[in-house]
Amino acid sequence: RKRFGTVLKGGSKSDTYNPKNIKFGASLVQIGSPKMFEKVGEEAMFLLENNGFDTASLYIDKEVKNYSISGSQAFQLRQIMQAFA
């Protein structure tokens, strides 16, 4: 049977298929350095003392969306804020 193997592979052989050009969507950039964690934490504590928990939590959410801190760092900051609230 002629070209039987290409049917199993998903169609006719093409010269344009090149697995070396496959790009992955994962980013290698680290989100949330210890310096940024401390900076965001200081601002969040300031907002907690002056404007309350909700305002500080919204600020933390904004910084996560801006990739200043990671989600796990935001969780840690909220735990710290709950201890002081």
Side-chain angles (χ1 to χ4, degrees):
R1 295 189 196 182
K2 193 173 181 182
R3 299 183 61 90
F4 178 71
T6 58
V7 173
L8 295 177
K9 291 181 183 177
S12 64
K13 224 165 184 11
S14 172
D15 292 333
T16 60
Y17 175 72
N18 188 355
K20 294 177 187 172
N21 291 334
I22 296 174
K23 295 182 180 167
F24 297 96
S27 174
L28 299 176
V29 177
Q30 179 183 358
I31 297 172
S33 68
K35 183 178 177 182
M36 283 305 297
F37 175 74
E38 188 171 331
K39 180 182 172 202
V40 171
E42 287 176 3
E43 182 66 24
M45 291 304 286
F46 176 79
L47 290 171
L48 176 67
E49 292 172 0
N50 295 317
N51 300 333
F53 185 83
D54 291 336
T55 304
S57 185
L58 287 173
Y59 172 73
I60 291 172
D61 288 338
K62 183 185 85 165
E63 293 301 320
V64 170
K65 288 179 185 172
N66 291 338
Y67 301 107
S68 299
I69 60 172
S70 67
S72 61
Q73 289 175 325
F75 180 74
Q76 290 175 347
L77 286 175
R78 284 196 183 90
Q79 285 184 324
I80 293 168
M81 288 184 346
Q82 286 177 347
F84 284 99

